[in-house]
Amino acid sequence: MSPTKPRQTLPDTDPEETDEWLESLRTVTSSSGSSRARLLLQELLSEATALGIDISSSRTPYLNSISIEQQKPYPGNLEIEKNIQNHVLWNAAAMVSDANRRMDGIGGHISTYASSSTLYEVGFNHVFRGKDHNGIGDALFIQGHASPGIYSRAFLEGRITREQISNFRKEAFEDGLSSYPHPRLMPEFWEYPTVSMGLGPLGAVMQARFWKYLHQRNLADTSESRVFAFLGDGEMDEPEAIASIAVAGREQLDNLVVVVNCNLQRLDGPVRGNSNIIQELEGLYRGAGWTVIKVIWGSGWDRIFQLDSNGELLKRIEAVTDGDWQRLSILSASEFRDELFSGSESLQALGTSISDTEIEQLTRGGHDPIKVYSAYQAALAANGPAVILAHTVKGWGIDSFEGRNSTHQKKKMSLEDLVAYRDALGLNLDDSRLEDDPFVILEEESDEIEYLFERRKHLGGYLPSRRSANITSNLPGEETYAAFDGGTPEGQEVSTTMAFVRLLRNLLKSEIGDKVVPIIPDEGRTFGMDPLFSEFAIFASKGQKYTPVDHKMLLNYKESESGQVLQEGISEASAIASWISSATSYSNANSPTIPFYTFYSMFGFQRVGDQIWSAADARARGFLMGATAGRTTLNGEGLQHQDGHSLLMASAVPHCRAWDPAYAYELATIIRHGIDEMWGENLDVFHYIMLYNENQQQMPKPADSDEGIIRGAYIVEEIEGNGPKVRLLGSGPILNLVREAATELLRDHGIGSEIWSVTSYGELRRIGMEHERNKRLDPGKESKPYVSECFGDATPTIATSDFISSVPEMIQRWVGGRYVVLGTDGFGRSDSREALRTFFEIDTDSIVIASLSALEQDGELPSGTVEKEMKTRGVSSQRIDKTE
């Protein structure tokens, strides 16, 4: 039997007849071909359905997928490995319990790792390859709640100190350990953030796919690197957890193994109390083209199933719901026998023939290293992605935790619990240390410590481990960006989106061109990026097996095994996961790439904000391009599409630089700065940049403007008047309305203006906040933040934005004079740009009136000036909002 096709062994009362049926199938296939055999099988299935026989092609019987005959010999020393595992289990539980004893409420999770320990230990001893194997190693997406167990193993390996393990979840002022996998907090240990729940499964699939991309484009040899993702069965309810299952099946990602810890419990109770989560997940994965390997029963069940000659035990087992399996896990041997082996005389007789000792050995498959190892081997041999569905018990081994609904919330072990658990694990630890320094190590020169070191050395080093070498690539020079410095000729109008596409093409042809990764979620034509399809090709792991409808055209839809563009379909979640994989490839694949993910700005931060937060944690480096930005600039799409707030959301993400450029030269300057920051200075930051679809004349770049563009604001024009003066701030296309307003203020009122382009309110605020802290701690130091240097005098300032007022208000504390903000608060709607800007009061008339109002309130203009101006311009103070 092929190792890639695990086969269950069902109870068979007439094996001779079974062989005759199988031989008939072989004969038909040999003589008449597979098409004839397929027809006969389909007819048999149809007849079985008509006869009321329940056969599901997507769900197999509730048995182990790998028969005893297929089981691989175990390669390790089970006794030594058990001793090591017992030390890991103890330290993991003691770490959480001790932390909560010292500081009540600090949290942590004991029961998750207790249930999944064997799944990890078999992997660490025999499966997972470290970075010394090929420079990359395997990727481990660790279930977040299991992190204490990973720390515990690293402690035995000498990679984590006793001080650190004693300071679990104490990171502010101690040398402690983070709650979950957080590369931002432990940059040499963790690689892949996996919380919030659901992000790990999605990220793992797209990581496996991106490693295929790197390999097929000759950017990195990932041929021997695999991705392992450890998930919880309750976590699978998250939409993100199943979002990319079809992608993995379609792409046949044979470098991906998912392990679902099916302990049947989520935070509050059973995952599927009235049904069966393992069977449900099997149908889901199998239907998407995965190899499904069920590890349900431990070795103690092997003989019992062999005695089930008529299949009654299997029928009984399949009738038990998960809620009852959870309850059965806490019963005594006699209670278990009475309940499970009931319903018929033959079942009762079978139960009577089994001793209490044998019943106590009827463990779940996920706790049996022999079964788990065979599952790993079958998964690695699969022709495509594989999932291991491992049946376990939550809180396994800790009597008062095991299988209880409250187990997830149990953070402390009583002294009685500690004594019982220590004794059950056979550890040599004095009672006096149980609540003070409870951690155990492996003795020097013991068989266990030598085995531990040898296994990891053999597999290529310790995991998890993050290595981040400095990027030393030669960066594009001035010529790549200079094309935008001269602006466009009079009358030639271009949007910043089109300018970006041209710049992106320049980068794709530059010194780092092969490392640039354009990512699009099925909006390439919307953004004018479709010419990239034919020139650089869309990545398709299997190539283009069809002739596209536009194949005779110069700009055709081209897919290629070595394509450069990642076209991710209508899935922002998958696209951002691919972006994260690319943005972290400098560390996880030792092959830096620089991704440009271009998306509808409304569906960027708003839809995948949790993943963007995770990207910051992962130390991502790349560009997020928020196209079709602006609540009034994207005019026709209406309420759900018009973005007026993502800049505010971006400002809340640490290490995210958010930009709102008005002109092509600003855009080019910002992107050059971002590449210099991320690759030249090796800073772990990323950049979010607004792109607009409104065509406008692109202005020439003012001399010496680079510094102001990057610091967040600079003067684009000063207009002298014979009256009072205002300062006008604008960003994006709204800057043109600001300039129009300045012209009209001079023409109609003799008012002079300073016109500023604000490229980033977020950057102005970030530097301002840093200065404010320094000043608070050193009051005598004379200095001003850049934002105060720009706007700190008494000049009235009017800031106008296509985003909500909260964006310009980020700098309010540093503005010296009266500060008036015009923004697009509220829902968007469909109409012309002119009508929308009038509606939201950010049009030229509104800017003029706001300027006059500020001056009138400051006593610089006579009373009644605003009222008169409103009548002259036909502006009403009434506002109709249908959403109120």
Side-chain angles (χ1 to χ4, degrees):
M1 180 62 62
S2 168
T4 63
K5 298 291 183 183
R7 180 181 174 186
Q8 295 177 320
T9 301
L10 300 175
D12 193 345
T13 57
D14 194 341
E16 185 175 335
E17 182 184 31
T18 302
D19 286 339
E20 291 174 0
W21 277 85
L22 293 174
E23 183 58 34
S24 296
L25 178 61
R26 297 186 191 104
T27 301
V28 169
T29 303
S30 176
S31 61
S32 303
S34 59
S35 296
R36 176 63 180 167
R38 185 181 298 112
L39 172 65
L40 291 174
L41 288 171
Q42 290 291 348
E43 289 296 322
L44 281 171
L45 287 172
S46 297
E47 184 64 19
T49 301
L51 294 172
I53 302 172
D54 184 19
I55 297 178
S56 171
S57 59
S58 62
R59 300 185 185 186
T60 59
Y62 202 54
L63 296 170
N64 291 341
S65 299
I66 300 172
S67 65
I68 301 175
E69 293 75 20
Q70 285 185 299
Q71 208 164 269
K72 295 289 185 182
Y74 196 76
N77 186 315
L78 286 169
E79 182 179 354
I80 290 179
E81 288 184 20
K82 182 179 180 182
N83 288 338
I84 294 171
Q85 183 176 357
N86 286 352
H87 280 70
V88 176
L89 280 164
W90 170 263
N91 285 334
M95 182 190 320
V96 178
S97 182
D98 190 60
N100 283 271
R101 181 183 63 81
R102 296 172 184 268
M103 185 182 297
D104 191 43
I106 197 69
H109 303 86
I110 294 174
S111 296
T112 295
Y113 183 75
S115 68
S116 57
S117 175
T118 303
L119 305 175
Y120 288 107
E121 281 300 299
V122 171
F124 282 125
N125 286 324
H126 303 291
V127 181
F128 307 148
R129 294 170 176 166
K131 295 185 183 301
D132 294 337
H133 172 76
N134 63 345
I136 299 172
D138 291 335
L140 300 185
F141 284 72
I142 303 293
Q143 189 180 359
H145 292 157
S147 58
I150 308 304
Y151 291 140
S152 178
R153 172 172 254 270
F155 172 63
L156 296 182
E157 294 166 340
R159 298 196 296 142
I160 284 177
T161 67
R162 184 176 293 269
E163 179 186 6
Q164 287 175 306
I165 203 173
S166 299
N167 287 321
F168 176 61
R169 292 197 171 199
K170 293 178 68 177
E171 301 173 89
F173 302 104
E174 309 285 352
D175 184 15
L177 303 175
S178 64
S179 54
Y180 302 117
H182 292 307
R184 183 63 67 173
L185 300 174
M186 298 179 66
E188 296 179 357
F189 190 84
W190 293 116
E191 279 194 285
Y192 304 98
T194 53
V195 291
S196 299
M197 285 190 287
L199 300 189
L202 175 58
V205 171
M206 305 317 287
Q207 181 69 52
R209 178 170 171 268
F210 191 73
W211 274 359
K212 293 284 188 182
Y213 173 94
L214 289 176
H215 185 71
Q216 291 182 211
R217 299 198 61 247
N218 296 315
L219 295 174
D221 183 2
T222 59
S223 58
E224 294 187 4
S225 294
R226 297 82 53 94
V227 176
F228 293 88
F230 290 85
L231 320 177
D233 48 358
E235 181 178 13
M236 299 306 294
D237 283 342
E238 291 282 3
E240 293 90 349
I242 61 174
S244 55
I245 287 177
V247 174
R250 182 173 66 246
E251 299 278 334
Q252 286 295 287
L253 298 178
D254 56 2
N255 60 341
L256 174 64
V257 176
V258 166
V259 182
V260 185
N261 175 24
C262 298
N263 60 35
L264 313 186
Q265 291 182 244
R266 49 191 176 200
L267 276 65
D268 290 336
V271 176
R272 296 289 185 273
N274 293 315
S275 57
N276 188 290
I277 187 62
I278 290 178
Q279 298 297 83
E280 179 182 321
L281 292 176
E282 178 186 23
L284 183 68
Y285 279 102
R286 192 180 296 279
W290 291 54
T291 294
V292 179
I293 303 159
K294 295 192 292 191
V295 186
I296 304 177
W297 312 113
S299 298
W301 287 89
D302 290 344
R303 186 183 75 84
I304 310 303
F305 282 123
Q306 288 176 339
L307 296 174
D308 183 32
S309 59
N310 59 5
E312 282 200 50
L313 178 59
L314 175 60
K315 183 178 179 181
R316 171 75 181 107
I317 281 174
E318 291 188 323
V320 179
T321 65
D322 282 357
D324 280 328
W325 279 120
Q326 179 188 343
R327 181 175 52 81
L328 285 166
S329 69
I330 69 170
L331 298 183
S332 66
S334 60
E335 291 171 328
F336 183 89
R337 178 191 297 107
D338 292 344
E339 179 154 347
L340 186 64
F341 296 95
S342 62
S344 71
E345 291 184 3
S346 59
L347 270 180
Q348 290 175 346
L350 178 59
T352 302
S353 70
I354 307 170
S355 69
D356 285 0
T357 300
E358 288 178 303
I359 285 181
E360 289 172 354
Q361 294 172 351
L362 298 182
T363 60
R364 310 288 166 86
H367 301 307
D368 188 326
I370 295 172
K371 302 294 185 183
V372 170
Y373 176 76
S374 289
Y376 274 125
Q377 293 307 303
L380 293 173
N383 295 320
V387 59
I388 297 171
L389 303 177
H391 196 189
T392 65
V393 176
K394 195 161 189 175
W396 177 62
I398 308 174
D399 286 344
S400 64
F401 284 57
E402 194 170 283
R404 270 63 174 187
N405 278 335
S406 61
T407 188
H408 188 85
Q409 303 302 331
K410 292 169 79 75
K411 314 298 182 185
K412 279 192 290 190
M413 300 173 69
S414 66
L415 181 59
E416 183 181 353
D417 289 332
L418 291 168
V419 170
Y421 196 37
R422 176 202 60 188
D423 294 347
L425 296 175
L427 300 177
N428 182 19
L429 182 66
D430 192 81
D431 286 356
S432 63
R433 289 181 52 199
L434 292 176
E435 291 188 317
D436 184 21
D437 189 26
F439 306 112
V440 296
I441 60 173
L442 297 171
E443 293 183 15
E444 291 186 23
E445 301 183 3
S446 66
D447 291 342
E448 285 79 8
I449 196 70
E450 291 182 4
Y451 189 92
L452 184 78
F453 292 157
E454 185 278 327
R455 293 314 305 152
R456 289 317 309 162
K457 182 179 180 181
H458 174 77
L459 288 166
Y462 299 114
L463 288 175
S465 173
R466 183 179 179 274
R467 298 176 182 176
S468 180
N470 285 341
I471 300 171
T472 57
S473 300
N474 292 325
L475 302 183
E478 180 69 31
E479 66 281 358
T480 301
Y481 309 95
F484 305 94
D485 290 354
T488 54
E490 184 72 31
Q492 181 178 335
E493 296 185 337
V494 178
S495 69
T496 53
T497 302
M498 289 298 97
F500 164 68
V501 174
R502 182 179 173 187
L503 174 57
L504 180 60
R505 186 176 181 274
N506 288 355
L507 288 167
L508 286 163
K509 290 180 170 294
S510 72
E511 299 92 322
I512 61 169
D514 60 335
K515 297 177 174 63
V516 174
V517 183
I519 304 174
I520 313 165
D522 204 39
E523 290 282 3
R525 297 185 192 278
T526 303
F527 308 142
M529 301 177 74
D530 44 307
L532 302 180
F533 297 164
S534 57
E535 186 172 5
F536 299 97
I538 296 167
F539 175 73
S541 60
K542 307 299 181 184
Q544 192 165 32
K545 299 180 180 180
Y546 64 96
T547 302
V549 67
D550 56 3
H551 69 282
K552 294 182 179 180
M553 300 176 66
L554 180 62
L555 300 179
N556 55 49
Y557 194 84
K558 181 181 178 182
E559 299 186 64
S560 167
E561 293 179 6
S562 59
Q564 192 160 359
V565 178
L566 288 177
Q567 210 285 5
E568 301 295 38
I570 307 175
S571 174
E572 285 83 3
S574 293
I576 191 67
S578 289
W579 181 84
I580 293 171
S581 298
S582 174
T584 55
S585 67
Y586 71 93
S587 62
N588 64 45
N590 197 25
S591 175
T593 58
I594 190 157
F596 287 85
Y597 170 30
T598 308
F599 52 87
Y600 247 102
S601 65
M602 182 70 162
F603 307 136
F605 265 80
Q606 180 158 297
R607 174 163 287 190
V608 295
D610 207 10
Q611 289 171 279
I612 291 173
W613 188 269
S614 177
D617 185 357
R619 297 177 171 265
R621 303 177 187 177
F623 292 95
L624 298 171
M625 310 303 296
T628 57
R631 185 144 288 162
T632 68
T633 304
L634 178 64
N635 54 314
E637 293 297 306
L639 183 150
Q640 191 64 34
H641 288 67
Q642 292 166 339
D643 174 28
H645 52 278
S646 67
L647 281 172
L648 186 66
M649 298 170 71
S651 73
V653 179
H655 310 286
C656 173
R657 313 285 199 244
W659 306 92
D660 193 9
Y663 298 124
Y665 69 80
E666 294 180 353
L667 175 67
T669 302
I670 290 165
I671 289 178
R672 183 179 187 182
H673 164 70
I675 293 175
D676 286 345
E677 256 199 331
M678 295 182 290
W679 281 30
E681 300 177 44
N682 283 283
L683 298 183
D684 296 337
V685 299
F686 61 97
H687 295 260
Y688 179 46
I689 305 176
M690 298 294 96
L691 298 175
Y692 295 90
N693 66 350
E694 182 175 359
N695 292 329
Q696 60 183 18
Q697 184 175 347
Q698 297 297 326
M699 306 303 291
K701 183 177 183 179
D704 302 322
S705 58
D706 281 12
E707 181 180 0
I709 292 171
I710 298 310
R711 296 180 80 174
Y714 69 103
I715 294 179
V716 294
E717 187 176 1
E718 290 189 80
I719 299 176
E720 294 296 330
N722 54 15
K725 178 182 177 182
V726 293
R727 181 183 292 116
L728 304 178
L729 314 185
S731 307
I734 305 304
L735 182 56
N736 285 333
L737 303 183
V738 169
R739 302 184 84 154
E740 289 177 9
T743 301
E744 295 185 14
L745 285 167
L746 177 66
R747 181 194 66 197
D748 299 338
H749 301 278
I751 295 173
S753 305
E754 283 181 10
I755 304 174
W756 289 71
S757 175
V758 180
T759 54
S760 178
Y761 286 103
E763 286 300 281
L764 291 172
R765 179 183 183 276
R766 182 173 67 84
I767 302 303
M769 293 292 288
E770 290 178 6
H771 178 274
E772 201 168 84
R773 179 185 182 274
N774 293 336
K775 188 71 172 178
R776 184 172 67 248
L777 300 178
D778 188 2
K781 187 175 182 180
E782 290 296 328
S783 63
K784 281 185 179 181
Y786 180 69
V787 62
S788 293
E789 292 176 8
C790 296
F791 313 130
D793 64 20
T795 304
T797 301
I798 290 81
T800 310
S801 174
D802 213 1
F803 284 75
I804 61 175
S805 302
S806 299
V807 174
E809 286 170 354
M810 284 195 283
I811 66 167
Q812 187 159 5
R813 70 175 73 181
W814 296 285
V815 178
R818 185 179 298 276
Y819 190 45
V820 180
V821 173
L822 305 180
T824 55
D825 297 73
F827 283 126
R829 60 207 63 220
S830 298
D831 213 311
S832 67
R833 291 190 179 112
E834 293 76 13
L836 290 173
R837 287 165 181 171
T838 299
F839 176 84
F840 282 105
E841 298 175 357
I842 63 166
D843 60 338
T844 302
D845 286 346
S846 297
I847 298 169
V848 169
I849 290 169
S851 301
L852 296 176
S853 178
L855 291 169
E856 182 177 332
Q857 292 181 71
D858 282 351
E860 296 289 332
L861 291 176
S863 178
T865 300
V866 171
E867 182 180 1
K868 181 179 178 181
E869 189 73 17
M870 291 177 65
K871 289 180 180 178
T872 300
R873 293 178 177 270
V875 174
S876 171
S877 61
Q878 298 294 317
R879 183 173 181 179
I880 300 173
D881 188 344
K882 296 178 182 178
T883 66
E884 292 181 352

